[in-house]
Coordinates of all heavy atoms in Angstrom, one line a residue:
P63 N 4.6 -8.4 12.7 CA 5.7 -8.3 11.6 C 6.9 -7.7 12.2 O 6.9 -6.8 13.1 CB 5.0 -7.5 10.6 CG 4.0 -6.6 11.4 CD 3.5 -7.5 12.4
T64 N 8.1 -8.1 11.6 CA 9.3 -7.4 12.0 C 9.4 -6.0 11.3 O 8.6 -5.7 10.4 CB 10.5 -8.2 11.5 OG1 10.4 -8.4 10.1 CG2 10.5 -9.6 12.2
L65 N 10.3 -5.2 11.7 CA 10.5 -3.9 11.1 C 10.8 -4.0 9.6 O 10.2 -3.2 8.8 CB 11.6 -3.1 11.9 CG 11.5 -1.6 11.7 CD1 10.2 -1.1 12.1 CD2 12.6 -1.0 12.6
P66 N 11.7 -4.9 9.2 CA 11.9 -5.0 7.7 C 10.7 -5.3 6.9 O 10.5 -4.8 5.9 CB 13.0 -6.1 7.6 CG 13.7 -6.0 8.9 CD 12.7 -5.7 9.9
A67 N 9.8 -6.2 7.5 CA 8.6 -6.5 6.8 C 7.7 -5.3 6.8 O 7.0 -5.0 5.8 CB 7.9 -7.7 7.5
R68 N 7.6 -4.5 7.8 CA 6.8 -3.3 7.9 C 7.3 -2.3 6.8 O 6.5 -1.7 6.1 CB 6.9 -2.6 9.2 CG 6.1 -3.4 10.3 CD 6.2 -2.6 11.6 NE 5.7 -3.3 12.8 CZ 4.4 -3.3 13.1 NH1 3.6 -2.6 12.4 NH2 4.0 -4.0 14.1
I69 N 8.6 -2.1 6.7 CA 9.2 -1.2 5.7 C 8.9 -1.7 4.3 O 8.5 -0.8 3.5 CB 10.7 -1.1 5.9 CG1 11.0 -0.5 7.3 CG2 11.4 -0.3 4.8 CD1 12.5 -0.5 7.7
F70 N 9.0 -2.9 4.1 CA 8.7 -3.5 2.7 C 7.2 -3.2 2.4 O 6.9 -2.7 1.3 CB 8.9 -5.0 2.7 CG 8.5 -5.6 1.4 CD1 9.1 -5.5 0.3 CD2 7.3 -6.4 1.5 CE1 8.7 -6.1 -0.9 CE2 6.9 -7.0 0.3 CZ 7.5 -6.9 -0.9
C71 N 6.3 -3.4 3.3 CA 4.9 -3.2 3.1 C 4.6 -1.7 2.9 O 3.7 -1.4 2.1 CB 4.1 -3.8 4.2 SG 4.0 -5.6 4.1
L72 N 5.2 -0.9 3.6 CA 5.0 0.6 3.4 C 5.4 1.0 2.0 O 4.7 1.7 1.3 CB 5.8 1.4 4.4 CG 5.3 1.4 5.8 CD1 6.3 2.1 6.8 CD2 3.9 2.2 5.9
S73 N 6.5 0.4 1.5 CA 6.9 0.7 0.1 C 5.9 0.1 -0.9 O 5.6 0.7 -1.9 CB 8.3 0.2 -0.1 OG 8.3 -1.2 -0.2
R74 N 5.4 -1.1 -0.6 CA 4.4 -1.7 -1.5 C 3.1 -0.9 -1.6 O 2.4 -0.9 -2.6 CB 4.1 -3.1 -1.1 CG 5.3 -4.1 -1.3 CD 5.7 -4.2 -2.7 NE 4.7 -4.9 -3.5 CZ 4.6 -4.8 -4.8 NH1 5.5 -4.0 -5.5 NH2 3.7 -5.4 -5.5
S75 N 2.8 -0.2 -0.5 CA 1.6 0.6 -0.5 C 1.8 2.0 -1.2 O 0.9 2.8 -1.3 CB 1.0 0.8 0.9 OG 1.9 1.6 1.7
G76 N 3.1 2.3 -1.6 CA 3.4 3.5 -2.2 C 3.8 4.6 -1.2 O 4.1 5.7 -1.7
D77 N 3.9 4.3 0.1 CA 4.2 5.3 1.0 C 5.8 5.3 1.2 O 6.3 4.8 2.3 CB 3.5 5.1 2.4 CG 3.5 6.3 3.3 OD1 4.4 7.2 3.0 OD2 2.8 6.4 4.2
W78 N 6.5 5.7 0.2 CA 8.0 5.6 0.3 C 8.6 6.5 1.4 O 9.6 6.1 2.0 CB 8.5 6.0 -1.1 CG 8.1 5.0 -2.1 CD1 7.0 5.1 -2.9 CD2 8.8 3.9 -2.6 NE1 6.9 4.0 -3.8 CE2 8.1 3.3 -3.6 CE3 10.0 3.3 -2.2 CZ2 8.5 2.1 -4.2 CZ3 10.4 2.1 -2.8 CH2 9.6 1.5 -3.8
A79 N 8.0 7.6 1.6 CA 8.5 8.5 2.7 C 8.4 7.9 4.1 O 9.3 7.9 4.9 CB 7.7 9.9 2.7
A80 N 7.2 7.2 4.3 CA 7.1 6.6 5.6 C 8.0 5.4 5.7 O 8.6 5.1 6.8 CB 5.6 6.1 5.8
A81 N 8.3 4.7 4.6 CA 9.2 3.6 4.6 C 10.6 4.0 5.0 O 11.3 3.4 5.8 CB 9.2 2.8 3.3
A82 N 11.0 5.1 4.3 CA 12.4 5.7 4.6 C 12.5 6.2 6.0 O 13.5 6.0 6.7 CB 12.7 6.8 3.6
L83 N 11.4 6.8 6.5 CA 11.5 7.3 7.9 C 11.6 6.2 8.9 O 12.3 6.2 9.9 CB 10.2 8.2 8.1 CG 10.1 8.7 9.5 CD1 11.3 9.7 9.9 CD2 8.8 9.5 9.7
T84 N 10.8 5.1 8.6 CA 10.8 3.9 9.5 C 12.2 3.3 9.5 O 12.7 2.8 10.5 CB 9.8 2.9 9.1 OG1 8.5 3.5 9.0 CG2 9.7 1.7 10.0
L85 N 12.8 3.2 8.3 CA 14.2 2.7 8.2 C 15.2 3.5 9.0 O 16.0 3.0 9.8 CB 14.6 2.6 6.8 CG 16.1 2.2 6.5 CD1 16.4 0.8 7.1 CD2 16.4 2.2 5.0
D86 N 15.1 4.9 8.9 CA 15.9 5.8 9.7 C 15.7 5.6 11.2 O 16.7 5.6 12.0 CB 15.7 7.2 9.3 CG 16.2 7.5 7.9 OD1 17.1 6.8 7.4 OD2 15.7 8.5 7.3
T87 N 14.4 5.5 11.6 CA 14.1 5.3 13.0 C 14.7 4.0 13.5 O 15.3 3.9 14.6 CB 12.6 5.3 13.2 OG1 12.1 6.6 12.7 CG2 12.3 5.2 14.7
G88 N 14.5 2.9 12.8 CA 15.0 1.6 13.2 C 16.5 1.6 13.3 O 17.2 1.0 14.2
R89 N 17.2 2.3 12.3 CA 18.6 2.4 12.3 C 19.1 3.2 13.6 O 20.0 2.8 14.3 CB 19.1 3.1 11.1 CG 20.6 3.2 10.8 CD 20.8 4.1 9.6 NE 20.3 3.4 8.4 CZ 19.7 4.1 7.4 NH1 19.6 5.4 7.4 NH2 19.3 3.5 6.3
A90 N 18.4 4.3 14.0 CA 18.8 5.1 15.1 C 18.6 4.3 16.4 O 19.4 4.5 17.4 CB 18.0 6.4 15.1

């Protein structure tokens, strides 16, 4: 999966903190 797909799935599982952290990491 791509990073956006991973972030979406993290949010769907309820792990919003991990999703936001993954987005910040991908951005950096």
Side-chain angles (χ1 to χ4, degrees):
T64 59
L65 200 57
R68 289 181 186 274
I69 294 170
F70 171 75
C71 283
L72 285 170
S73 69
R74 290 298 292 160
S75 67
D77 197 344
W78 295 87
L83 179 60
T84 305
L85 175 58
D86 289 339
T87 303
R89 187 183 296 144

